[in-house]
Amino acid sequence: MTDGDIELRATAFWTVVPGRGELRRSVLSSPGPGDVLVRALVSAVSRGTESLVFQGRVPPELAGTMRCPFQEGDFPAPVKYGYCMVGEVQAGPEHLIGRRVFCLHPHQDLFVVPADMAVPIPEAVPTDRAALAANMETAVNILWDALPPVGARIVVIGAGVVGCLTAWLAGRVPGARVELIDVNPARKAVADALGVRFALPEEATGDCDIVIHASGNPAGLTTALALAGFEATIVEASWYGTRPVAAPLGAAFHPRRLRLVSSQVGSVAPSMRSRWSYRDRLGLALDLLEDSRLDILLTGSSMFADLTDVFPRLTLHPGDELCHLIRYHRA
């Protein structure tokens, strides 16, 4: 309970009922020999899964599957949930003290975790950009599921954070033609900065080899099926929670011999699973964040003390926000 004679107290964000959160105080257990004590620097709010959790839209049959590391409570509420945390190690193994680390931890100002769950951040990656690591890890897994060949014609539907990162990664495949699709024309500036084409759904290029759907909207899946060429692969990277989805699998779906693949970050993609651990994948995601062009995805920030007011807006009415950072200390 104490570190020496000092009682360790922490404040964390909890969803107390669907659509409402509060900051709760608690006393931490002292870090053990294999643990680290981490002081939060910034975290990020996931507009996908976290939004569904905050709204109480996790299907009961998936309650166990959708638990995140260091979650407390159960769905729908009260629950402490989140997984985009950047902090600084205050106590633990000597080689980690003072190091910035990324951890799949909910929004909390001070916490204790096993040392192997706190992944050091490369020196070249700024603290704010490091908060994109969980989203980058998802994008890596999507590309591992898609297996794009050299020269592939690739469309990514949905220019949220995951969609943008996936398009940016796909654009690094030699000879690939990558198009990012979104209903919001303002996303063109983001696509331009990331070095990929942009199109509105009605202007998108068809006959694609690989179509990745990451919009979170069932209408996007309809667009994905329409843009896929003969024997193409459609990777469904959206998660809908309890919302029913009517996939239009009539018309050209069978004549085109389309392949519909689900992608979910909770498991390492089959193509890499026998050789890559979760920590390996997260380490790769952090290394990939060295590119400064990705800062265009960081669109706003708020103080942790204001999170009870900010969280409903971010998850229910996000507007043009991409990655919104939660800061734990004023500059």
Side-chain angles (χ1 to χ4, degrees):
M1 181 180 294
T2 61
D3 182 16
D5 294 325
I6 302 173
E7 188 173 65
L8 298 175
R9 291 188 173 274
T11 303
F13 178 81
W14 286 71
T15 296
V16 291
V17 296
R20 182 168 68 83
E22 69 180 28
L23 297 178
R24 291 184 172 183
R25 298 275 288 169
S26 64
V27 177
L28 296 180
S29 299
S30 296
D35 295 334
V36 288
L37 175 67
V38 181
R39 179 180 69 107
L41 298 175
V42 298
S43 59
V45 176
S46 161
R47 283 180 48 191
T49 305
E50 269 195 272
S51 177
L52 292 173
V53 169
F54 186 66
Q55 296 173 55
R57 290 168 54 193
V58 176
E61 65 272 19
L62 294 181
T65 302
M66 296 310 301
R67 288 190 71 86
C68 68
F70 312 110
Q71 173 181 325
E72 292 184 36
D74 297 300
F75 304 121
V79 64
K80 182 177 77 174
Y81 193 90
Y83 48 82
C84 305
M85 173 63 71
V86 178
E88 182 181 275
V89 175
Q90 305 292 290
E94 186 175 349
H95 71 282
L96 288 176
I97 294 177
R99 291 288 305 272
R100 294 174 307 139
V101 293
F102 183 88
C103 186
L104 298 169
H105 197 283
H107 309 281
Q108 185 167 315
D109 60 359
L110 189 71
F111 55 92
V112 175
V113 296
D116 62 359
M117 295 292 287
V119 180
I121 296 168
E123 291 296 327
V125 177
T127 296
D128 286 2
R129 200 186 309 150
L132 293 168
N135 295 125
M136 179 65 86
E137 188 178 11
T138 300
V140 166
N141 216 51
I142 290 169
L143 263 291
W144 284 353
D145 278 319
L147 297 174
V150 170
R153 293 166 296 186
I154 304 169
V155 161
V156 180
I157 299 171
V161 176
V162 169
C164 287
L165 289 172
T166 302
W168 175 79
L169 274 181
R172 297 161 72 100
V173 175
R177 185 205 72 190
V178 180
E179 197 167 70
L180 182 60
I181 310 299
D182 200 272
V183 297
N184 182 357
R187 290 287 187 257
K188 182 181 185 304
V190 179
D192 289 345
L194 298 178
V196 298
R197 302 180 187 183
F198 175 83
L200 297 170
E202 61 272 17
E203 301 168 345
T205 305
D207 196 29
C208 295
D209 303 304
I210 294 173
V211 182
I212 296 167
H213 178 227
S215 78
N217 189 321
L221 180 56
T222 301
T223 301
L225 291 164
L227 296 178
F230 181 71
E231 294 190 340
T233 296
I234 300 121
V235 179
E236 176 54 277
S238 295
W239 188 60
Y240 303 95
T242 58
R243 181 164 39 158
V245 178
L249 300 183
F253 181 76
H254 286 87
R256 285 190 199 164
R257 296 176 54 85
L258 300 181
R259 180 170 174 262
L260 184 58
V261 177
S262 67
S263 184
Q264 207 276 337
V265 73
S267 298
V268 175
S271 62
M272 308 296 280
R273 191 177 302 161
S274 63
R275 299 171 301 280
W276 283 69
S277 67
Y278 292 107
R279 185 181 174 92
D280 292 335
R281 189 180 62 182
L282 181 54
L284 171 62
L286 284 164
D287 288 340
L288 289 168
L289 289 172
E290 291 188 6
D291 194 320
S292 62
R293 289 179 295 177
L294 300 177
D295 286 340
I296 196 168
L297 303 180
L298 306 175
T299 54
S301 67
S302 301
M303 296 304 299
F304 177 61
D306 301 324
L307 194 52
T308 53
D309 295 324
V310 170
F311 210 95
R313 177 181 67 78
L314 291 178
T315 56
L316 301 174
H317 308 288
D320 282 341
E321 287 268 22
L322 284 168
C323 180
H324 191 96
L325 299 176
I326 305 303
R327 302 191 185 281
Y328 291 77
H329 310 279
R330 296 191 183 277

